[in-house]
Amino acid sequence: SMVPRDMKSVYQFVISSVVPRPIAFVSTVNVDGNIKANLAPFSYFMAVCHDPLTLAFSTCTKRGAVKKDTLNNLESNGECVVNIISEWFVESANFCSGDFPDDVDEFEVAGLTKLSSDVVRPPRVKEAAVQLECKLKHKYEIVNDKDEHTATMCVVEVVKSHVKKELYDPEKGVVKFEGYRPISRLGGTTYGKVGDTFSLPRPEKDEFR
């Protein structure tokens, strides 16, 4: 047993133990002067509510408590698009995790296609099967025991969703898993594909009587 402060690397421990993690591929824009798009993946990510449809992701600070472009843009205009990564463009998405200068457009360097959004200003990733236009609702700054700002959790509300037509079942209201092929994040530089799945119904109340 260990307490976090005694671990060799808390970061390596958490990313290798809390698995698999979905990845938020977040697009934002800097609207100060010339509009410039930013695109970055975040695996500290989850869905937190369906009414309203709400997501959360955390962006860690760089060395010296410097905020990442995604957070700066989101704080500036309160808008983003959360794109879900699938197998067919994971290498391009991973390329966007590089520490590029502020004036670099990750869409261009990764060879990904911008698709205009309907409600928010940031573009969607055309290659993504699911694209979720969002607006910032809350943010929570996380500090360590030295009172250093280490991350910010962003809670965003989905204002419009887009799903590739062939992957959506309108009668059931679900995204078809077959063909979606979502990617998850594991430890180190390892990613995961979804393999075998199974259904497990919830127990009925009568079973506890």
Side-chain angles (χ1 to χ4, degrees), residues 20-23 41-43 85-87 89-98 182-194:
R21 299 183 309 282
I23 307 169
F42 297 93
S43 70
I85 299 174
S86 292
E87 291 180 29
F89 70 100
V90 64
E91 291 186 0
S92 294
N94 178 65
F95 193 76
C96 294
S97 63
I183 287 292
S184 65
R185 189 76 163 79
L186 305 174
T189 58
T190 305
Y191 289 81
K193 300 177 182 180
V194 179

Side-chain angles (χ1 to χ4, degrees), residues 172-190:
K172 296 181 179 178
V174 300
V175 177
K176 301 175 185 177
F177 189 73
E178 301 79 8
Y180 188 15
R181 293 155 56 193
I183 287 292
S184 65
R185 189 76 163 79
L186 305 174
T189 58
T190 305

Side-chain angles (χ1 to χ4, degrees), residues 71-140:
L71 181 57
N72 284 328
N73 293 345
L74 197 52
E75 288 181 330
S76 173
N77 55 66
E79 297 180 343
C80 69
V81 179
V82 174
N83 306 274
I84 306 301
I85 299 174
S86 292
E87 291 180 29
W88 53 83
F89 70 100
V90 64
E91 291 186 0
S92 294
N94 178 65
F95 193 76
C96 294
S97 63
D99 188 13
F100 297 104
D102 293 348
D103 59 350
V104 170
D105 185 325
E106 285 84 0
F107 276 90
E108 296 179 0
V109 297
L112 293 169
T113 311
K114 294 176 184 174
L115 197 61
S116 296
S117 296
D118 293 344
V119 180
V120 300
R121 283 167 288 190
R124 296 176 278 146
V125 176
K126 183 179 181 180
E127 289 77 5
V130 175
Q131 310 141 3
L132 306 168
E133 299 185 36
C134 302
K135 291 192 175 183
L136 180 67
K137 301 301 291 185
H138 310 283
K139 65 185 180 73
Y140 176 74

Side-chain angles (χ1 to χ4, degrees), residues 50-63:
H50 63 276
D51 185 16
L53 180 49
T54 305
L55 313 173
F57 63 90
S58 291
T59 169
C60 297
T61 56
K62 302 179 185 179
R63 290 184 181 275

